[in-house]
């Protein structure tokens, strides 16, 4: 296919230059219906914020240009077919589960699952068989899921409909997907990969091997997170064989809006062309910058980074060095405090902070920006707070997987529930998930029996400033349990 073309994006360029008047949605009519401030901020993009059908693409719902663009994306990512997604990889995760699992079906799925996969479990009614990732106890970080763990789960659950992994992890660790794909395929089970943080992997050999290159049956990646697509733009890539591709298309259409933003679609098309033509060079530069940041952080007193060394003795696992997790706790600072200093004093915005660390992403969009980042990091030791900082029990490793799974996430979600004090929750079945950062793995999932040790851990963590995600009561004053 001709990867120098971007059919959807090129049509948008033509449309932008036209004087067509719209008698359709959106109501702002190429910007005329918006006030001056709105027009000034959103600019030229308004003239192409038009309907997909009857605006940019061919009318009558044939989606000719979109499908051409998606097929180019499939080829660029090593798949047989692809779908452009709005609403991010969240849409792809929902679609992958809904396309493979009916209510009650078993699915082997990482416990390091993003909330969109948990939502997919609720929507599909699937019964999860959770896989435990390896944990680095020194840093309290989840690592990869081993091929052995997948093989064992498939042996114990031969009727499972799919294996679903998240790779890379939030800090950039990838699993040995090539070996895992072989194991899944030998069992006739598709491997579905949430590769939200790896849309760039396919385009440079110094990055971990992409899920599709490793043999996965489907991968979903957030093109918007690490490449040039507009926010929400993600790509679902499919391989033929073990998947019901028609059902996948149907569920994508069921979970995706009927009014997708052509700006997002166009940016996905443009980003694919850019990566197909120049990805290797652009990522070479990003990787060089990431190495520079990592080297210089290593020389700053009180700061350290984690990297591929985490994976010693874990063959097949790999690390994306463009994710730079900087541990600040030796300075007596929490990650939240470091984030505030970087933002308020240096205008440097971070991807995430937690009790110990701050995470920075280096992408193809970085230039001299890394000098600002380095200047901010070099200034951190001056804010040292001796004796202050995080003193959290560092590893949740032993606590994960301790609770019995009593109900599926859907059963727990649909059950009659009540809100009670956490201290009264031991022995009860949780109706919600709780994900402490670090390490970002749900410590309680909906349907799981809650243990007293977990409540004690969370209470200590919250008192030390730990961030809990997924909870309906973020103050941790109460928990929702099955009545
Ligand atoms: C592992 C993982 N999967 C899926 C998602 C959802 O991606 P999106 O924000 O593109 O919907 C995220 C978002 O952070 C994520 O971290």
């Amino acid at each position: 296919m001709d990867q120098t073309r971007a059919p959807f994006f090129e049509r948008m360029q033509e449309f932008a230059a036209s004087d067509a008047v719209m008698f359709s949605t959106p109501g702002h009519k190429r910007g005329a219906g918006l006030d001056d401030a709105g027009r000034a901020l959103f600019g030229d993009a308004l003239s192409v914020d038009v309907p997909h059908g009857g605006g940019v693409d061919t009318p009558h719902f044939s989606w000719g240009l979109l499908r051409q663009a998606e097929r180019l994306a499939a080829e660029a990512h090593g798949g047989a077919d692809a779908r452009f997604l709005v609403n991010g990889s969240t849409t792809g995760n929902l679609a992958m589960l809904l396309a493979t699992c009916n209510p009650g079906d078993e699915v082997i799925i990482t416990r390091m699952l993003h909330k969109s996969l948990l939502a997919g479990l609720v929507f599909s009614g699937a019964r999860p068989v959770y896989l435990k990732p390896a944990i680095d106890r020194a840093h309290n970080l989840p690592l990869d899921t081993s091929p052995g763990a997948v093989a064992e789960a498939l042996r114990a659950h031969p009727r499972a409909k799919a294996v679903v992994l998240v790779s890379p992890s939030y800090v950039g660790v990838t699993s040995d997907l090539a070996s895992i794909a072989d194991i899944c395929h030998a069992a006739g089970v598709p491997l579905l990969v949430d590769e939200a943080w790896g849309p760039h992997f396919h385009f440079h050999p110094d990055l971990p091997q992409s899920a599709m290159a490793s043999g996965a049956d489907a991968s979903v990646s957030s093109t918007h997170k690490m490449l040039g697509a507009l926010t929400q733009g993600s790509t679902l890539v499919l391989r033929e064989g073990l998947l019901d591709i028609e059902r996948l298309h149907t569920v994508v259409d069921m979970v995706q809006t009927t009014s997708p933003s052509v700006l997002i679609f166009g940016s996905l098309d443009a980003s694919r062309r850019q990566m197909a033509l120049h990805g290797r060079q652009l990522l070479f530069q990003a990787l060089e910058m990431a190495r520079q940041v990592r080297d210089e952080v290593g020389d700053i007193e009180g700061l350290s980074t984690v990297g591929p060394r985490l994976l010693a003795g874990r063959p097949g696992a790999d690390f994306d060095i463009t994710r730079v997790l900087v541990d600040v706790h030796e300075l007596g600072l929490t990650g939240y405090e470091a984030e505030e200093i970087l933002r308020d004093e240096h205008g440097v915005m971070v991807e995430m902070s937690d009790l110990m660390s701050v995470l920075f992403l280096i992408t193809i969009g970085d230039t001299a920006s890394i000098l600002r980042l380095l200047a901010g990091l070099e200034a951190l030791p001056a804010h040292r707070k001796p004796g202050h900082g995080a003193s959290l029990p560092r590893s949740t490793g032993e606590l994960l997987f301790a609770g019995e799974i009593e109900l599926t996430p859907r059963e727990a979600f649909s059950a009659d529930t009540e809100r009670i004090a956490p201290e009264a929750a031991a022995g009860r079945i949780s109706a919600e998930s709780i994900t402490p950062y670090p390490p970002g793995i749900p410590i309680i999932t909906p349907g799981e029996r809650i243990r007293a040790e977990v409540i004690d851990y969370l209470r200590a963590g919250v008192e030390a400033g730990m961030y809990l995600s997924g909870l309906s009561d973020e103050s941790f004053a109460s928990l929702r349990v099955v009545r």
Side-chain angles (χ1 to χ4, degrees):
M1 296 175 81
D2 186 356
Q3 294 283 340
T4 65
R5 301 302 302 273
F8 195 91
F9 179 76
E10 288 165 18
R11 173 72 186 126
M12 285 174 72
Q13 287 176 305
E14 274 171 34
F15 195 87
S18 82
D19 66 353
V21 289
M22 311 296 297
F23 287 90
S24 65
T25 63
H28 67 66
K29 305 271 178 125
R30 306 188 82 183
L34 202 58
D35 66 10
D36 290 346
R39 269 198 300 278
L41 186 63
F42 299 125
D44 291 346
L46 289 169
S47 73
V48 273
D49 182 31
V50 293
H52 173 202
V56 168
D57 209 337
T58 46
H60 312 304
F61 302 96
S62 65
W63 309 154
L65 288 175
L66 180 66
R67 292 299 289 140
Q68 281 177 37
E70 289 173 334
R71 288 199 184 97
L72 282 160
E75 184 186 74
H77 285 272
D81 202 353
R83 289 298 300 265
F84 284 169
L85 307 174
V86 295
N87 195 33
S89 292
T90 295
T91 303
N93 280 340
L94 296 179
M96 288 195 300
L97 281 172
L98 286 165
T100 48
C101 298
N102 286 320
D105 283 344
E106 280 185 330
V107 59
I108 295 170
I109 187 165
T110 175
R111 177 65 182 260
M112 195 175 68
L113 78 181
H114 184 255
K115 64 193 274 195
S116 54
L117 284 172
L118 256 177
L121 291 173
V122 171
F123 288 153
S124 66
R127 183 170 299 280
V129 173
Y130 289 120
L131 288 168
K132 184 179 182 180
I135 305 235
D136 176 272
R137 283 171 200 261
H139 301 92
N140 196 16
L141 289 177
L143 302 177
D144 59 309
T145 300
S146 73
V150 174
E152 201 182 304
L154 279 166
R155 264 196 303 277
H157 300 273
R159 295 158 74 89
K161 288 292 166 43
V163 169
V164 184
L165 294 182
V166 174
S167 179
S169 71
Y170 196 52
V171 299
V173 175
T174 54
S175 297
D176 181 356
L177 295 178
S179 302
I180 292 172
D182 286 346
I183 290 166
C184 291
H185 295 164
V189 174
L191 172 63
L192 316 176
V193 182
D194 171 350
E195 196 171 36
W197 289 104
H200 50 319
F201 287 177
H202 209 73
F203 301 101
H204 199 286
D206 288 354
L207 288 163
Q209 191 175 53
S210 73
M212 292 315 288
S214 305
D217 299 279
S219 77
V220 58
S221 62
S222 294
T223 320
H224 70 94
K225 287 191 194 293
M226 300 297 286
L227 296 175
L230 294 185
T231 294
Q232 293 190 22
S234 288
T235 310
L236 174 66
V237 188
L238 309 170
R239 185 185 303 286
E240 279 170 340
L242 290 172
L243 290 176
D244 181 343
I245 303 260
E246 200 181 310
R247 177 159 157 158
L248 249 162
H249 282 295
T250 303
V251 288
V252 168
D253 292 335
M254 285 163 67
V255 292
Q256 183 130 287
T257 169
T258 46
S259 311
S261 160
V262 300
L263 297 172
I264 296 176
F265 281 166
S267 73
L268 283 164
D269 197 23
S271 166
R272 183 275 312 152
R273 176 172 66 181
Q274 178 193 30
M275 294 314 288
L277 301 182
H278 312 294
R280 198 172 167 128
Q281 177 58 26
L282 290 166
L283 286 165
F284 171 80
Q285 288 158 6
L287 284 160
E288 282 296 298
M289 284 187 273
R291 287 187 191 103
Q292 185 188 344
V293 171
R294 288 173 164 276
D295 285 351
E296 297 200 17
V297 165
D299 292 337
I300 301 173
E301 173 211 339
L303 301 188
S304 59
T305 53
V306 292
R309 264 189 323 222
L310 276 179
L311 301 172
R314 304 200 63 76
D318 205 350
F319 196 90
D320 174 6
I321 62 163
T322 65
R323 305 178 78 73
V324 184
L325 184 76
V326 176
D327 188 328
V328 297
H329 89 277
E330 273 185 32
L331 293 176
L333 297 176
T334 63
Y336 310 121
E337 289 167 328
E339 172 183 351
E340 220 173 284
I341 295 165
L342 290 168
R343 184 188 59 225
D344 296 348
E345 298 183 13
H346 301 273
V348 168
M349 311 299 284
V350 312
E351 160 63 18
M352 187 264 331
S353 63
D354 66 24
L355 217 46
M356 312 276 178
S357 321
V358 192
L359 180 64
F360 307 95
L361 309 180
I362 309 294
T363 76
I364 60 170
D366 279 295
T367 49
S369 48
I370 65 160
L371 301 178
R372 293 265 300 275
L373 168 60
L374 287 169
L377 290 172
E378 276 158 15
L380 285 180
H383 295 268
R384 180 187 279 282
K385 290 189 188 165
H388 174 75
S391 60
L392 191 69
R394 289 206 48 130
S395 179
T396 47
E398 317 74 48
L399 295 176
L400 291 167
F401 288 81
E404 291 295 318
I405 306 294
E406 306 282 359
L407 301 174
T408 65
R410 175 190 280 190
E411 287 162 347
F413 179 77
S414 324
D416 191 9
T417 62
E418 62 182 326
R419 187 176 285 293
I420 59 174
E423 280 65 27
R428 302 291 298 272
I429 298 173
S430 180
E432 55 188 353
S433 71
I434 307 178
T435 306
Y437 282 84
I441 306 177
I443 195 163
I444 296 176
T445 54
E448 184 169 333
R449 199 171 288 284
I450 300 169
R451 296 193 325 148
E453 298 93 300
V454 169
I455 300 295
D456 293 345
Y457 176 84
L458 293 172
R459 176 64 64 208
V462 167
E463 275 160 19
M466 180 193 253
Y467 166 63
L468 300 182
S469 148
L471 262 177
S472 51
D473 176 357
E474 283 182 357
S475 68
F476 197 53
S478 64
L479 281 183
R480 189 164 280 288
V481 297
V482 174
R483 195 186 286 276

